[in-house]
Amino acid sequence: MPQLSAQGATLRLFDPKTGRWSLNWASSISGTLFPPVFGGFENGRGAFYGDDTHDGKEVRVRFVWSGISATSARWEQAFSVGGADGWVTNWITGFTRPSGTTAD
């Protein structure tokens, strides 16, 4: 069986009335748009929360953006299953801007 290569896109929408963002992920593997996570940035850290399902179980989802600079950022995803207080981080990604490029 060939290995699947995941690709996707995120639609980020800002609501100026509430000051909150919604992050909406579309997956090439499932062909679906996942439920959004909602939140915002404070003191250089972004926290976003939403509800979804994973392996048939309801999960609370958390995305965290941190270490944000002109050249790098860190993103992580965590799940909380069944209303549990603890978070299980299941994906961490580090982003680095190629040298010679700018943010504007």
Side-chain angles (χ1 to χ4, degrees), residues 67-86:
I68 301 167
S69 75
T71 58
S72 64
R74 173 187 164 110
W75 174 85
E76 63 183 66
Q77 172 182 277
F79 289 166
S80 178
V81 180
D85 290 332

Side-chain angles (χ1 to χ4, degrees), residues 12 23 40-48 62-77 89 91-96:
R12 296 174 176 97
L23 310 182
F41 291 87
E42 189 173 314
N43 299 320
R45 181 180 184 270
F48 304 86
R62 178 184 71 191
F63 292 174
V64 174
W65 284 93
S66 62
I68 301 167
S69 75
T71 58
S72 64
R74 173 187 164 110
W75 174 85
E76 63 183 66
Q77 172 182 277
T89 301
W91 193 344
I92 298 172
T93 302
F95 296 91
T96 305

Side-chain angles (χ1 to χ4, degrees), residues 18-90:
T18 64
R20 288 190 342 156
W21 288 89
S22 66
L23 310 182
N24 306 268
W25 173 251
S27 168
S28 65
I29 292 177
S30 66
T32 60
L33 182 63
F34 285 76
V37 293
F38 298 93
F41 291 87
E42 189 173 314
N43 299 320
R45 181 180 184 270
F48 304 86
Y49 298 88
D51 298 307
D52 203 345
T53 58
H54 180 71
D55 290 338
K57 296 179 183 175
E58 292 185 9
V59 296
R60 186 82 173 139
V61 179
R62 178 184 71 191
F63 292 174
V64 174
W65 284 93
S66 62
I68 301 167
S69 75
T71 58
S72 64
R74 173 187 164 110
W75 174 85
E76 63 183 66
Q77 172 182 277
F79 289 166
S80 178
V81 180
D85 290 332
W87 291 97
V88 176
T89 301
N90 59 15

